[in-house]
Amino acid sequence: MSTTTIPADAVARAETVESGVPRIPVGEWIDSGFDWVKEHLGDFFDTVSDLIETTVDGLAGLLMSPPALVLALVLALLAWLLKDWKLGLTSAVGLVVVIGMDQWDNAMETLALVLVATLVALVVAIPLGVAAARWDRVSRVVRPVMDLMQTMPAFVWLVPVVTLFSIGVSAGLVATVIFALPPGVRLTELGIRQVDAEVVEAGHAFGATPREILRGIQFPLALPTVMAGINQVIMLALSMAVIGGLVGAPGLGREVTSSISRLDIGLGFEAGLSVVILAIYLDRLTASIGAGRRGRIRLPRRRAARNVSTTEPTSPEDVVVSTG
């Protein structure tokens, strides 16, 4: 008995003919686009991949070089300096638990991946958010792109990045950046737009340039909102780091995917709890930096905001310096 294979496009044509709607070959267009990119920009993506792997591996090696307890103590001390002793003590206990579960090296690899991904995302997100806040046309273009990036299921981003970067840390990092980028852009734009227009007008009246106004007035006053965006970028990067384990990203994500393949419940929970501890630590730390009013390290932003709201500027230098 002979069998006949029906091409997929023929099946699709039959389905669309039956429904009365002509088929739109979006998938074929995207495949053709990626084939063109791979053919003409393959060397570029290889170079980017090597740079990403070198950076992440180097940072992970740096984090794993000191004894685990020493680095845990340093991270807890940083939490104490930025907020209070309660956060420092809680951080120390949480990080010691990670060491006790024998997940420290994996946690440091994940931390390195998240830090590099966050840095790359912010290098793109903050200037883009500032441009969107300054020019409405840029905002109208950026918003639908951010909507697409944020609402597309996270797993979908794994397919194109693996096509371009193959399986490994580079694919995991690029997918993480794409997934974590939108909150940084949105909250930077929101923070700049929420700055009191009268304060900005005062800067213009005293002859401050747009760059001085952005650096000395708008950005310092928008810092809490910008920091909220950075916090969201870090949290999304952590969540995507686990999914990135499916494409070979190192760290806790790889442990989680390994536990799924082996049905190892214990390993899965140990890796998952380590992710939660890292997430809580980074969340509280960035929130403390955004607040900037507690702890032993005080940021100048609060003083700047207070000066703007309670003093009348007498010169252009007053407008810029008092808010910087």
Side-chain angles (χ1 to χ4, degrees):
M1 180 179 179
S2 63
T3 57
T4 303
T5 302
I6 303 175
D9 57 343
V11 175
R13 281 196 300 272
E15 291 176 351
T16 53
V17 168
E18 183 179 350
S19 65
V21 178
R23 172 169 168 72
I24 304 173
V26 176
E28 287 82 347
W29 294 340
I30 293 176
D31 284 341
S32 300
F34 271 93
D35 289 341
W36 186 91
V37 170
K38 286 175 61 179
E39 182 179 351
H40 293 85
L41 300 176
D43 293 339
F44 168 76
F45 285 107
D46 289 342
T47 303
V48 173
S49 178
D50 292 340
L51 180 62
I52 290 174
E53 289 185 9
T54 301
T55 304
V56 174
D57 291 344
L59 182 56
L62 183 64
L63 290 172
M64 289 188 287
S65 57
L69 279 175
V70 172
L71 184 57
L73 182 62
V74 170
L75 294 177
L77 182 63
L78 179 63
W80 173 61
L81 290 173
L82 288 174
K83 190 172 183 182
D84 54 26
W85 65 270
K86 296 177 184 176
L87 180 60
L89 180 61
T90 306
S91 301
V93 172
L95 295 173
V96 169
V97 169
V98 174
I99 297 172
M101 291 188 296
D102 200 21
Q103 294 292 333
W104 181 257
D105 288 348
N106 292 323
M108 291 302 100
E109 287 183 330
T110 297
L111 182 60
L113 180 67
V114 168
L115 290 178
V116 175
T118 301
L119 180 62
V120 174
L122 295 180
V123 166
V124 177
I126 291 180
L128 199 57
V130 170
R134 178 167 292 182
W135 296 291
D136 290 338
R137 289 184 178 178
V138 175
S139 179
R140 284 195 290 270
V141 173
V142 165
R143 285 184 181 180
V145 176
M146 295 298 110
D147 290 340
L148 173 68
M149 294 170 65
Q150 199 163 16
T151 55
M152 183 73 78
F155 282 93
V156 175
W157 295 119
L158 298 180
V159 181
V161 297
V162 169
T163 302
L164 296 176
F165 295 96
S166 73
I167 290 177
V169 61
S170 303
L173 186 136
V174 174
T176 301
V177 170
I178 295 172
F179 187 67
L181 182 67
V185 178
R186 292 181 188 280
L187 289 174
T188 300
E189 179 184 359
L190 179 65
I192 298 293
R193 287 183 180 276
Q194 284 182 336
V195 173
D196 191 346
E198 293 183 356
V199 179
V200 177
E201 289 177 3
H204 285 296
F206 286 113
T209 65
R211 180 175 296 181
E212 289 172 332
I213 290 174
L214 174 64
R215 188 180 63 247
I217 298 176
Q218 291 176 313
F219 203 80
L221 294 177
L223 190 59
T225 308
V226 175
M227 286 304 302
I230 295 174
N231 180 282
Q232 290 300 305
V233 169
I234 293 174
M235 294 300 105
L236 288 178
L238 260 176
S239 66
M240 191 64 185
V242 174
I243 299 175
L246 293 172
V247 295
L252 297 169
R254 187 167 54 193
E255 293 296 298
V256 171
T257 55
S258 175
S259 69
I260 293 174
S261 62
R262 293 187 294 172
L263 295 179
D264 189 338
I265 300 174
L267 177 62
F269 268 87
E270 286 180 352
L273 285 175
S274 300
V275 172
V276 171
I277 291 171
L278 268 185
I280 292 174
Y281 174 77
L282 294 174
D283 176 69
R284 301 297 185 271
L285 207 64
T286 52
S288 300
I289 295 173
R293 60 182 176 182
R294 302 181 64 181
R296 295 181 177 273
I297 299 177
R298 295 178 183 274
L299 301 177
R301 181 191 55 78
R302 285 288 176 184
R303 178 173 56 82
R306 186 169 57 250
N307 289 343
V308 168
S309 60
T310 58
T311 63
E312 289 293 335
T314 56
S315 69
E317 290 74 13
D318 292 335
V319 174
V320 175
V321 174
S322 66
T323 59

